[in-house]
Amino acid sequence: MIEFFFDCSSPWTYLAFHNIQPLAKELGAEIVWRPILVGGIFNTVNPSVYAQRETPVPLKARYMKKDLQDWARSAGLSIKMPPTVFPVNSVKAMRGCIWLGADMVPFATAVFEAYWGDDKDISQDAVLAGICKKVGIDEQKFFAGISEQGIKDQLKANTEEVIARGGFGSPTIFVNKTDMYFGNDRLPLIREALLRSKASAT
């Protein structure tokens, strides 16, 4: 089993979200999608992210921009970095993923595409309404659902859980509950972990 803790506000998460689905399908692994707020993680255990944004190392920043585009090209995705609004408040989008539950993947995919591909501000209700329309979600039910206290509480609980389990950013991925991996570039290692798990089960 794969647990995928994610926030749509991260470009590397977009890559991992896209790339892990065919990997899981190929190896017959179930993905449990766990929406979080990465800002809550940074505030609690990884504030160095903010310092890096304020005072980036120019050579490293230039390479990271290239690296992101290399990965995007490899995945066949369009990623604008930085978007016009960055960082973005993704709380409503991530509550939407919680509210949709097992049906969240088309919505989350559309959120990633809207923000990273189309440079739309996913914190805005009008943008989220457009995404709902695109994927066939009743927008009135959507906005009512994401305002429910239980949905808000679950997003907070997911964020606190990934911190308690050792996570410090998005995406944080677990194989079989305890084997943690961070980031899109760890997918080859996740593949190996899944293959080891399958071998030990036979």
Side-chain angles (χ1 to χ4, degrees):
M1 184 187 71
I2 300 167
E3 291 171 280
F4 191 94
F5 288 85
F6 73 103
D7 186 327
C8 291
S9 67
S10 156
W12 301 102
T13 303
Y14 182 18
L15 288 163
F17 178 89
H18 175 85
N19 290 331
I20 202 167
Q21 292 183 64
L23 171 61
K25 186 176 181 180
E26 175 194 342
L27 297 180
E30 177 194 3
I31 302 176
V32 178
W33 303 103
R34 306 292 302 279
I36 58 170
L37 283 179
V38 75
I41 296 178
F42 294 159
N43 292 340
T44 306
V45 295
N46 193 10
S48 66
V49 170
Y50 301 127
Q52 289 170 11
R53 285 179 186 166
E54 289 173 12
T55 55
V57 177
L59 292 176
K60 185 178 180 183
R62 187 170 67 191
Y63 175 74
M64 285 183 69
K65 192 171 182 178
K66 174 195 180 297
D67 192 36
L68 181 63
Q69 293 310 316
D70 287 343
W71 278 107
R73 189 182 309 107
S74 176
L77 299 177
S78 174
I79 295 180
K80 180 188 176 185
M81 183 65 190
T84 302
V85 177
F86 183 78
V88 71
N89 183 341
S90 62
V91 65
K92 290 181 179 179
M94 301 319 296
R95 285 177 185 164
C97 289
I98 295 276
W99 177 71
L100 286 161
D103 299 322
M104 76 176 73
V105 171
F107 173 78
T109 301
V111 171
F112 277 121
E113 289 173 350
Y115 184 49
W116 294 108
D118 301 330
D119 197 20
K120 293 180 179 177
D121 181 358
I122 57 170
S123 70
Q124 299 301 309
D125 286 357
V127 172
L128 292 172
I131 292 170
C132 286
K133 186 176 181 180
K134 179 180 178 181
V135 297
I137 296 167
D138 184 310
E139 62 184 86
Q140 288 187 322
K141 289 181 180 177
F142 174 86
F143 287 110
I146 66 172
S147 67
E148 294 172 5
Q149 191 60 47
I151 299 298
K152 297 177 182 179
D153 291 346
Q154 187 59 57
L155 184 58
K156 185 171 185 284
N158 284 1
T159 305
E160 291 174 347
E161 179 185 336
V162 75
I163 293 170
R165 292 170 66 181
F168 51 86
S170 174
T172 298
I173 304 159
F174 290 90
V175 175
N176 296 333
K177 292 288 187 182
T178 57
D179 192 11
M180 188 181 93
Y181 297 87
F182 174 69
N184 171 70
D185 55 350
R186 300 307 190 276
L187 291 186
L189 301 179
I190 292 170
R191 172 187 286 277
E192 291 178 8
L194 290 169
L195 288 171
R196 284 195 306 271
S197 181
K198 285 184 74 173
S200 65
T202 57

